[in-house]
C-alpha cells in the first residue's frame, strides 16, 4: 500500500547471540512524526538501522510504498536519510562543508550544492557560524548542522536516532520547533527516551520493550489501552507506599496510582486529610508507558497498580 | 550518474578540507618517506641514494593504505559517516574509490618532492620509468585493499592505531625497501619475502640498475605483485561490510 511503512516479523539476533528484536510487526502511515520509545537496550537503534537499510535483519521484511527495502534497498535510498545515534558533525569541516559534502554523497550536483546549503543554514539560524569549524560550535549547534544536512537533501523519509539526547532544554525546544515544521512535508521517524518529547511532537508513537512492540498508535489510541484515565502521583518521597481505605477495599499504592474519576475524588480527599502532597493529571504517555510496560522508563521495576 | 560528485565528496571530506583546516597533516605525509631517505643516504655515504629514493616512492604509496585504514575507521566509528552514506544513493565502491583517491591527494606533496629528486638522482630508461610507475601502482592498490579490508573489521580507533603500527612495521620498516635485499644475512632473507614490498623494491632496484635480477626472478616478482592484488581484491569484495549483518 502506498504511503505506508509496513514491517512484518522483523527479528534480529546479533552475531554474538544477542537478541535485539523479536518478531516486530507494525504498519504506520508515512505522515508526520513517528516516535519509537523504549528503554536503553530496547532495540530502537537496531530497528532504525534495519529500516534505514544499514543493517540486515535476521528475518522478516519491510515494505515501504510497495518496495521491499530489505532485498531492494537501492530504490528507497534516494528517499531516506538518517542521523545515526552518536553521529557527530565531522570536527574538521565547517557546517557549510558538512552540508555540501553530504549533498554530494546524495548525488546533488556540485553547481546546486552550495546554494541549497546556504538556504538551509539560514533556515536553521546557522549563517553566522557557517564557516567556522564544527569543532568550535556548541553541542546544540553541531546537532542542528546534522539535521540541516538531512533537511537540505531531497529525502522525504528522515530517521533520527535520539536527536535531542544531551541537548539543553532550550536547544531541545528549538529542535522540536524545527521538527514540527519539517513534518509538514516529510515523514520523520525518531527515537527518544524523553516521553514528554514523544507525546508533544508525535502523531504516532510506538512502545518498544525488550525487542518487542508493546503498543503502537496515536496518543488517543494509546490512551484507550489503559483502563483508568487519571493518575495520582505522590510528591513527597517519604510516602513510598500508602494504604487507603476506599469504600471498604484497600488500595495499596506506590508513588503513583491510576484511577477513574470517582476513585480520584475519594483518594484525593483522603490524601488531603492525611496531609500528603500529591498531583492529579490525565494519563500522560509516561503513565501509559508505565502501565503497558509495567516498569518506569527510568528502570524502576514492577510498581504496583 | 552521480558517481563523480559522490567520489568528490570523499575526497573533499577526507583530504581537501582536512588539509585546508589542518596543514600539519601535509608535514606528516612528507616527513616520513623523506626521513628514511635521509638516514639511509647518510649512513651509506650517498651510495644508496637512488635505491632509497625508489624505496621512498614505494613507501609513499604503501602509506596510502595505512592512512585509509585509519581514516575509514575514524569516519565510520567516531562520526558515523559511513552509516549516513550507506543509507544514501551511493555504493561501497564509489565511496571506497573516492576515499582511495583522497589518500593519493595526501601523498601528492611527497610524490612531487620525491619525483624531483628521482629525476635528478635516478638514471634509468623509459621502460625503467614505466616499471617504477607500475610497481608504485600495484603497491598502492595492494595497500588500499588491505587498508579497506582491515577498516571494515575494526570497530574502534584504538584497534585501528594498532593495525597501522603493525602494518607499517611489517611491510615498510623491516623489509628491504630502502636498501638491497642482499644486505640481509641468509636465513633471514627468506623472511623478507613475506612482504609484498620486497618484490616491489627488487623490481625498482632492478629498473634503476642498482641490482640485476634474473629473468625468472623478474617474471616471478611481477606475478607475485599481481597475485597479491588479486587475492586482496577478492578478500576486500568478500569481506567488505557495507550494509552490516
Ligand atoms: N553490534 C552489536 N552486537 C551485539 N549486540 C548488539 C549490537 N548492537 C546492539 N546490541 C544489543 O542489542 C540490544 C538492543 O540494542 P539497541 O542499540 O538497538 O538498543 P536501543 O534501544 O537503541 O538502546 P539505547 O536507548 O541505549 O540507544 C542490546 O541488548 C544491545 O546490547
Ligand atoms: Mg539506541
Amino acid at each position: 500500500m502506498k504511503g505506508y511503512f509496513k514491517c512484518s516479523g522483523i527479528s534480529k539476533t546479533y552475531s554474538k547471540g544477542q537478541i535485539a528484536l523479536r518478531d516486530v510487526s507494525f504498519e504506520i502511515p508515512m505522515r508526520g512524526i513517528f516516535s519509537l520509545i523504549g528503554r536503553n537496550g530496547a532495540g530502537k537503534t537496531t530497528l532504525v538501522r534495519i529500516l534505514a537499510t544499514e543493517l540486515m535483519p535476521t528475518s522478516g521484511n519491510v515494505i515501504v510504498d510497495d518496495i521491499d527495502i530489505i532485498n531492494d534497498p537501492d530504490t528507497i535510498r534516494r528517499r531516506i536519510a538518517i542521523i545515526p545515534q552518536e553521529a557527530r558533525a565531522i570536527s574538521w569541516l565547517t557546517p557549510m562543508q558538512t552540508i555540501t559534502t553530504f549533498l554530494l554523497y546524495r548525488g546533488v550536483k556540485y553547481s546546486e550544492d552550495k546554494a541549497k546549503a546556504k538556504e538551509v543554514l539560514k533556515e536553521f539560524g546557522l549563517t553566522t557560524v557557517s564557516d567556522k569549524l564544527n569543532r568550535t560550535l556548541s553541542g546544540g549547534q553541531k546537532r542542528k548542522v546534522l539535521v540541516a544536512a538531512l533537511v537540505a537533501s531531497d529525502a522525504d523519509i528522515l530517521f533520527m536516532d535520539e536527536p535531542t539526547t544531551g541537548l539543553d532544554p532550550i536547544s531541545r525546544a528549538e529542535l522540536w520547533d524545527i521538527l514540527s515544521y519539517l513534518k509538514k512535508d516529510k515523514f520523520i521517524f525518531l527515537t527518544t527516551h524523553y516521553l514528554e518529547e514523544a507525546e508533544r511532537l508525535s502523531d504516532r508513537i510506538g512502545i518498544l520493550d525488550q525487542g518487542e512492540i508493546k503498543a503502537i498508535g496515536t496518543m488517543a489510541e494509546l490512551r484507550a489501552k489503559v483502563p483508568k484515565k487519571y493518575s495520582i502521583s505522590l510528591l513527597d518521597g517519604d510516602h513510598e507506599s500508602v494504604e487507603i481505605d476506599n469504600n471498604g477495599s484497600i488500595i495499596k499504592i506506590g508513588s503513583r496510582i491510576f484511577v477513574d474519576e470517582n476513585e480520584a475524588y475519594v483518594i484525593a480527599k483522603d490524601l488531603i486529610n492525611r496531609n500528603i502532597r500529591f498531583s492529579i493529571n490525565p494519563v500522560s504517555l509516561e503513565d501509559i508507558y508505565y502501565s503497558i510496560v509495567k516498569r518506569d522508563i527510568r528502570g524502576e521495576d514492577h510498581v504496583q497498580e | 550518474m552521480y558517481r563523480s560528485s559522490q567520489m568528490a565528496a570523499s575526497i573533499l571530506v577526507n583530504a581537501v578540507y582536512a588539509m585546508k583546516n589542518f596543514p600539519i597533516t601535509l608535514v606528516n605525509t612528507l616527513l616520513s618517506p623523506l626521513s628514511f631517505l635521509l638516514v639511509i643516504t647518510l649512513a651509506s655515504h650517498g651510495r644508496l641514494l637512488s635505491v632509497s629514493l625508489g624505496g621512498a616512492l614505494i613507501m609513499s604509496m604503501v602509506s596510502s593504505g595505512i592512512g585509509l585504514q585509519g581514516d575509514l575507521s575514524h569516519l565510520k566509528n567516531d562520526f558515523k559517516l559511513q552509516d549516513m552514506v550507506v543509507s544514501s544513493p551511493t555504493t561501497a565502491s564509489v565511496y571506497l574509490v573516492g576515499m582511495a583517491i583522497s589518500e593519493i591527494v595526501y601523498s601528492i606533496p611527497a610524490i612531487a618532492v620525491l619525483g624531483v629528486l628521482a629525476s635528478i638522482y635516478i638514471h634509468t630508461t623509459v621502460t625503467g620509468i614505466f616499471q617504477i610507475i607500475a610497481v608504485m601502482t600495484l603497491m598502492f592498490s595492494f595497500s588500499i585493499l588491505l587498508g579497506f579490508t582491515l577498516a571494515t573489521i575494526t570497530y574502534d580507533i584504538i584497534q585501528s592505531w594498532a593495525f597501522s603500527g603493525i602494518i607499517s612495521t611489517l611491510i615498510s620498516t623491516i623489509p628491504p625497501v630502502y636498501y638491497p635485499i642482499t644486505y640481509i644475512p641468509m636465513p633471514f632473507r627468506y623472511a623478507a619475502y613475506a612482504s609484498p614490498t620486497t618484490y616491489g623494491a627488487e623490481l625498482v632496484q632492478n629498473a634503476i640498475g642498482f641490482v640485476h635480477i634474473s629473468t625468472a626472478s623478474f617474471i616471478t616478482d611481477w606475478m607475485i605483485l599481481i597475485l597479491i592484488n588479486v587475492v586482496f581484491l577478492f578478500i576486500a569484495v568478500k569481506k567488505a561490510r557495507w550494509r552490516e549483518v
Side-chain angles (χ1 to χ4, degrees):
Chain A
M1 209 184 337
K2 287 264 182 221
Y4 275 80
F5 218 108
K6 187 172 178 217
C7 290
S8 322
I10 291 286
S11 296
K12 178 69 189 177
T13 305
Y14 283 104
S15 52
K16 287 152 206 149
Q18 176 70 247
I19 298 172
L21 295 174
R22 301 160 203 266
D23 196 18
V24 168
S25 302
F26 62 87
E27 189 172 325
I28 45 170
M30 286 196 288
R31 275 195 307 274
I33 296 178
F34 175 77
S35 294
L36 189 63
I37 60 176
R39 306 171 65 193
N40 290 129
K44 302 181 296 296
T45 298
T46 305
L47 182 57
V48 167
R49 295 189 74 217
I50 290 170
L51 301 181
T53 73
E54 280 171 35
L55 178 71
M56 283 298 265
T58 309
S59 60
N61 66 57
V62 183
I63 308 289
V64 179
D65 264 0
D66 298 334
I67 303 164
D68 172 357
I69 69 162
I70 302 299
N71 296 309
D72 173 23
D74 291 337
T75 323
I76 201 70
R77 279 176 181 161
R78 292 182 194 289
R79 294 184 49 196
I80 58 181
I82 182 169
I83 303 179
Q85 185 172 15
E86 291 171 355
R88 291 195 291 144
I90 295 172
S91 51
W92 61 87
L93 304 187
T94 65
M96 187 66 171
Q97 293 165 346
T98 309
I99 298 174
T100 50
T101 49
F102 182 68
L103 292 181
L104 288 178
Y105 274 126
R106 296 201 59 92
V108 173
K109 282 202 222 91
Y110 208 85
S111 51
E112 300 166 7
D113 198 39
K114 198 150 182 181
K116 265 196 177 168
K118 221 172 184 162
E119 191 187 308
V120 181
L121 283 165
K122 192 171 165 209
E123 224 172 277
F124 278 68
L126 292 168
T127 309
T128 50
V129 296
S130 67
D131 295 320
K132 294 194 172 145
L133 292 185
N134 286 334
R135 170 169 68 80
T136 66
L137 306 186
S138 75
Q141 287 171 324
K142 285 183 208 166
R143 199 69 60 88
K144 274 202 220 164
V145 170
L146 292 177
V147 179
L150 248 58
V151 172
S153 77
D154 51 3
D156 64 340
I157 303 171
L158 309 182
F159 292 98
M160 302 185 195
D161 196 353
E162 294 190 21
T164 57
T165 299
L167 297 187
D168 71 50
I170 294 172
S171 305
R172 265 170 73 194
E174 280 176 5
L175 200 52
W176 289 353
D177 287 344
I178 292 170
L179 296 179
S180 309
Y181 169 75
L182 280 178
K183 74 171 196 178
K184 292 195 180 86
D185 42 24
K186 311 225 182 209
F187 172 54
I188 300 172
F189 189 120
L190 57 87
T191 74
T192 180
H193 30 222
Y194 296 119
L195 298 178
E196 73 284 10
E197 169 172 306
E199 178 168 0
R200 195 179 139 161
L201 278 180
S202 325
D203 298 282
R204 277 179 188 75
I205 294 163
I207 298 176
L208 190 67
D209 191 57
Q210 301 188 344
E212 287 173 33
I213 291 278
K214 300 286 183 190
I216 199 159
T218 61
M219 257 322 269
E221 285 162 356
L222 292 180
R223 267 203 197 97
K225 287 196 194 301
V226 292
K228 313 267 165 125
K229 301 297 170 234
Y230 294 90
S231 83
I232 295 178
S233 303
L234 303 188
L235 298 176
D236 297 317
D238 46 333
H239 295 287
E240 288 273 292
S241 174
V242 180
E243 283 172 33
I244 297 164
D245 192 299
N246 176 21
N247 299 336
S249 62
I250 302 283
I251 303 172
K252 202 175 171 200
I253 62 174
S255 54
R256 179 170 4 199
I257 182 175
F258 299 111
V259 289
D260 59 29
E261 224 157 301
N262 293 332
E263 287 167 336
Y265 180 73
V266 175
I267 292 174
K269 232 168 64 180
D270 197 273
L271 287 171
I272 290 166
N273 288 339
R274 288 161 186 253
N275 207 11
I276 294 171
R277 296 187 331 122
F278 66 95
S279 70
I280 176 162
N281 295 297
V283 288
S284 64
L285 180 60
E286 187 165 356
D287 300 319
I288 295 167
Y289 182 90
Y290 195 74
S291 87
I292 289 176
V293 176
K294 300 288 187 296
R295 266 180 314 188
D296 191 293
I297 195 158
R298 287 175 218 92
E300 297 153 23
D301 284 316
H302 306 296
V303 180
Q304 279 157 319
E305 271 181 74
Chain B
M1 131 172 96
Y2 311 127
R3 298 270 152 96
S4 61
S5 69
Q6 290 170 337
M7 278 177 201
S10 291
I11 299 166
L12 287 170
V13 167
N14 200 38
V16 179
Y17 293 147
M19 279 159 44
K20 200 161 134 192
N21 296 327
F22 297 105
I24 191 83
T25 51
L26 286 175
V27 178
N28 177 40
T29 53
L30 197 54
L31 208 57
S32 50
L34 288 183
S35 63
F36 264 100
L37 176 68
L38 191 70
V39 169
I40 301 283
T41 307
L42 289 179
S44 66
H45 302 288
R47 233 173 36 80
L48 289 178
L49 173 60
S50 62
V51 171
S52 53
L53 260 175
L57 283 170
I58 290 179
M59 286 330 304
S60 63
M61 293 290 107
V62 171
S63 67
S64 297
I66 297 170
L68 180 75
Q69 189 266 133
D71 291 346
L72 285 180
S73 162
H74 190 38
L75 289 168
K76 176 175 107 180
N77 298 313
D78 299 333
F79 297 106
K80 308 283 174 198
L81 176 71
Q82 194 169 317
D83 281 355
M84 294 180 78
V85 175
V86 169
S87 23
S88 296
T90 318
T91 63
S93 51
V94 168
Y95 182 72
L96 176 65
V97 170
M99 285 295 171
I101 296 173
S102 77
E103 299 296 339
I104 299 211
V105 174
Y106 271 104
S107 307
I108 287 175
I111 295 171
V113 172
L114 293 172
V116 170
L117 291 175
S119 67
I120 300 170
Y121 295 107
I122 290 183
H123 304 289
T124 179
T125 57
V126 175
T127 354
I129 292 173
F130 276 114
Q131 285 180 33
I132 294 172
I133 292 173
V135 168
M136 286 171 68
T137 309
L138 287 171
M139 295 286 39
F140 174 74
S141 56
F142 149 71
S143 81
I144 285 292
L145 292 169
L146 174 67
F148 178 63
T149 307
L150 287 176
T152 65
I153 58 172
T154 52
Y155 39 84
D156 200 296
I157 193 74
I158 295 181
Q159 212 181 1
S160 137
W161 286 333
F163 278 133
S164 298
I166 294 168
I167 314 171
S168 58
T169 308
L170 287 186
I171 69 178
S172 74
T173 313
I174 298 177
V177 176
Y178 289 89
Y179 54 90
I181 193 164
T182 47
Y183 284 27
I184 302 179
M186 203 34 202
F188 302 109
R189 211 177 282 175
Y190 293 113
Y193 281 109
S195 167
T197 46
T198 301
Y199 305 94
E202 197 164 71
L203 286 169
V204 169
Q205 289 163 15
N206 182 59
I208 64 182
F210 195 87
V211 297
H212 291 281
I213 54 173
S214 64
T215 314
S217 310
F218 182 78
I219 293 169
T220 318
D221 285 0
W222 281 113
M223 299 286 278
I224 286 173
L225 284 190
I226 292 166
L227 187 71
I228 287 167
N229 271 282
V230 172
V231 169
F232 274 93
L233 179 64
F234 181 77
I235 296 174
V237 169
K238 275 247 151 197
K239 275 274 157 194
R241 280 187 222 142
W242 189 238
R243 188 189 212 178
E244 279 175 41
V245 288

